Amino acid sequence: MSPIPIRDTLGMLEDNLERRKSVLPVPRRRALGWTKGLDLPRGGERVLYTGQMFQIVPAINAMTDRLAKMEGSWMANYFGLARRLNRWVNLAGVMARGDPQEAREYSGFLRNIVSLLRRSGVEFGYLYEDDLYAGALAHDEGLDDALRAHAEVVFRNLRSHGVKEVITVDPHTTEMLREIYPKVLKGYDLKVRTYLEVLVERRPAPVQQLGTMVTVHDSCIYARREGVIEQPRELLRRGGVEIREVERSGRATQCCGGPIEMLFPERSSELATQRVGQLSQVSKQVVTLCPLCLANLRRVAPEDVKITDVSTYLAKAYCPSSPASPAADVSGAGTRAPADHGTPVEA
Amino acid sequence: MKVDPTLPDRLARTGGFNASACINCGSCTALCPLGMGPFPRQLFRYVLLGAREEVVRHTEEIYSCLLCKMCEDNCPAGVHIAENVRTLRTFLGREELGLATSEV
Ligand code: SF4
Ligand code: SF4
């Protein structure tokens, strides 16, 4: 058996989903802080849906670091107790306080996405506290009862705001809302597209050619389930980014190891190290399309390998930035790149 | 080896489970980045044989799968490998680990 008890860890996630509507509840300030100053209208027929992935990942990072230290140690024995305590105290939340600088950077990715959509003339609202986690981890771990109950809450929320169309920002939420919800919910009829699919259609004009070279790490879900492979490449290329492909790219992409980081952190790191090795042989600048891939690959990447979210490059190429608040800093897109605290781009 | 003859049917009833389509070619095992011996192919054999204890003994492998679908994308028999593994998690969660929203 794994030294991190599967039963108690999953039990904790399940309890959190039921009681706190997220596998890893983050404080409101952290879940919604990224919207500050953006004046996103509340609700509407078309909304941006983050599913809190970019907000939760810095917390998952912190939790994983702690679990990795715990693996094989005496502390792991206390998991059963922790699970019972967690019903009353939000233990996962307490254990998981993420690095604030990292959280700011992840907020910057969301702000970039808002700028890009506005720049492309897309109108949309936001659900604020009703922008709930979509339940991907519960689905993956086979916690079907918890997932169904949670999906009903998410769908009810969306319906109560009159939402008909959803723009997603990450592969996990996209898969849940586009493939899984229609299977588990009756009458589910939302149109779901990723912001990358929306942007490609709108063909925004770049404000500059970045003149740089990268390699792309495809997300398994985007590449093998959701057909999102060409869209980010087309947008990057139009923005003057040359793409050098790693052998395992597109449909043949290799997993970053992220999906098992909770239960098997060491295994997960080995996979990430292998993947970073493949990518960095092709380019020292790596573009990711998923916050979990980003976190997992970065954790093991050497200093000279710069990994960042695709929105960083796209914002720089397509959004005019004011001097005080650059839309993105690609040149410094390092392991802890400066975040975008920018004001919304006037589209 | 104790056999639970109802196992394959019970899993198949969940809808997505189709281990019986597997022709045991070994492509999945060769492609899996986890390199866990005969996983996931052998697991499907155990299920089809109703070898419940063998399935349970492989709990760690079942939860290690990345659901990345590298194998599935190249399976010549159209086996829903990732969904099959996920269904086994649901089975283990309910019947072995006591995980279910109603349970706690
Ligand atoms: S690739 Fe498909 S048919 Fe071949 S062993 Fe694996 S599951 Fe069976
Ligand atoms: S889905 Fe699971 S079994 Fe298939 S290649 Fe990925 S990790 Fe291996």
Side-chain angles (χ1 to χ4, degrees):
Chain A
M1 265 316 235
S2 148
I4 290 179
I6 294 172
R7 178 198 157 108
D8 293 321
T9 309
L10 294 184
M12 209 146 120
L13 299 179
E14 194 181 52
D15 290 350
N16 275 330
L17 195 62
E18 191 193 347
R19 283 158 190 269
R20 305 187 181 97
K21 304 303 165 211
S22 178
V23 282
L24 204 62
V26 289
R28 189 190 147 86
R29 184 174 42 84
R30 184 154 284 183
L32 297 178
W34 70 275
T35 60
K36 204 169 161 210
L38 291 176
D39 288 327
L40 294 171
R42 186 174 286 271
E45 287 197 1
R46 187 194 290 133
V47 294
L48 183 71
Y49 201 86
T50 74
Q52 292 195 16
M53 288 296 290
F54 279 91
Q55 299 91 310
I56 292 172
V57 165
I60 290 185
N61 272 351
M63 179 111 158
T64 306
D65 288 348
R66 296 199 188 184
L67 287 177
K69 283 187 202 118
M70 201 181 273
E71 200 174 14
S73 87
W74 58 271
M75 273 179 78
N77 297 331
Y78 285 88
F79 247 87
L81 176 66
R83 183 188 171 189
R84 262 170 280 137
L85 269 175
N86 183 60
R87 303 189 70 194
W88 312 108
V89 192
N90 177 10
L91 219 56
V94 173
M95 246 183 91
R97 290 212 179 104
D99 168 7
Q101 197 188 332
E102 191 178 36
R104 260 200 307 280
E105 189 198 0
Y106 277 72
S107 295
F109 300 143
L110 292 171
R111 296 174 74 90
N112 287 341
I113 292 167
V114 167
S115 297
L116 285 158
L117 287 168
R118 285 183 166 168
R119 172 86 186 140
S120 311
V122 183
E123 283 176 21
F124 56 92
Y126 184 59
L127 299 183
Y128 293 88
E129 54 284 341
D130 286 339
D131 175 12
L132 297 178
Y133 178 66
L137 197 52
H139 173 259
D140 287 357
E141 301 298 16
L143 303 171
D144 286 3
D145 297 340
L147 172 72
R148 191 168 295 110
H150 183 70
E152 276 166 12
V153 173
V154 172
F155 185 39
R156 213 181 305 132
N157 266 341
L158 285 159
R159 259 214 296 232
S160 74
H161 287 279
V163 175
K164 297 208 164 73
E165 191 185 332
V166 165
I167 302 173
T168 52
V169 300
D170 77 276
H172 296 269
T173 308
T174 306
E175 188 192 23
M176 292 308 293
L177 296 185
R178 192 148 76 179
E179 316 300 327
I180 309 303
Y181 279 24
K183 286 187 197 145
V184 301
L185 296 173
K186 279 203 193 83
Y188 181 87
D189 53 358
L190 296 184
K191 180 176 176 188
V192 180
R193 285 184 308 162
T194 71
Y195 80 96
L196 295 163
E197 290 166 313
V198 172
L199 288 181
V200 150
E201 252 178 52
R202 296 276 177 149
R203 295 187 69 89
V207 292
Q208 61 169 323
Q209 294 291 303
L210 297 184
T212 188
M213 193 269 288
V214 302
T215 190
V216 176
H217 166 73
D218 287 285
S219 126
C220 300
I221 297 177
Y222 268 169
R224 283 192 279 268
R225 308 186 195 182
E226 298 300 324
V228 177
I229 297 173
E230 263 315 302
Q231 299 85 339
R233 287 173 169 76
E234 193 178 325
L235 291 163
L236 285 167
R237 274 192 217 107
R238 273 199 249 137
V241 180
E242 186 199 328
I243 299 163
R244 206 164 287 175
E245 298 286 4
V246 62
E247 194 188 324
R248 297 192 173 190
S249 66
R251 269 197 94 115
T253 188
Q254 183 169 318
C255 181
C256 68
I260 56 170
E261 66 180 353
M262 252 332 163
L263 291 176
F264 307 97
E266 284 182 13
R267 203 67 204 272
S268 173
S269 284
E270 284 164 24
L271 289 164
T273 305
Q274 195 182 44
R275 184 58 174 162
V276 168
Q278 295 169 1
L279 293 160
S280 61
Q281 273 184 4
V282 180
S283 169
K284 300 283 185 213
Q285 296 197 97
V286 178
V287 172
T288 53
L289 306 166
C290 165
L292 283 174
C293 296
L294 175 62
N296 216 47
L297 295 176
R298 259 193 193 172
R299 195 174 295 125
V300 302
E303 276 281 307
D304 65 328
V305 180
K306 310 295 182 200
I307 310 178
T308 193
D309 186 72
V310 65
S311 65
T312 308
Y313 287 90
L314 297 182
K316 180 126 183 173
Y318 291 92
C319 300
S321 56
S322 65
S325 54
D329 183 351
V330 174
S331 55
T335 46
R336 290 286 185 271
D340 164 35
H341 315 300
T343 45
V345 168
E346 58 300 337
Chain B
M1 185 163 71
K2 257 201 285 176
V3 169
D4 174 358
T6 67
L7 188 62
D9 276 353
R10 272 194 291 143
L11 288 167
R13 234 180 286 137
T14 61
F17 197 85
N18 72 339
S20 57
C22 172
I23 55 169
N24 215 3
C25 73
S27 305
C28 51
T29 304
L31 287 168
C32 177
L34 290 169
M36 293 190 295
F39 181 85
R41 172 176 54 114
Q42 196 172 50
L43 200 59
F44 300 153
R45 291 294 116 194
Y46 289 140
V47 172
L48 297 171
L49 290 168
R52 185 193 164 108
E53 280 170 26
E54 287 301 312
V55 173
V56 174
R57 205 164 59 77
H58 288 83
T59 297
E60 185 163 334
E61 283 87 345
I62 292 171
Y63 281 99
S64 298
C65 172
L66 302 153
L67 307 180
C68 72
K69 296 202 179 180
M70 180 75 120
C71 53
E72 187 167 323
D73 225 34
N74 293 282
C75 168
V79 178
H80 309 150
I81 303 176
E83 184 58 18
N84 288 352
V85 172
R86 217 189 59 79
T87 306
L88 286 170
R89 288 181 185 172
T90 307
F91 159 76
L92 286 175
R94 285 212 183 116
E95 300 200 8
E96 293 293 325
L97 304 174
L99 296 168
T101 19
S102 48
E103 185 263 350
V104 272

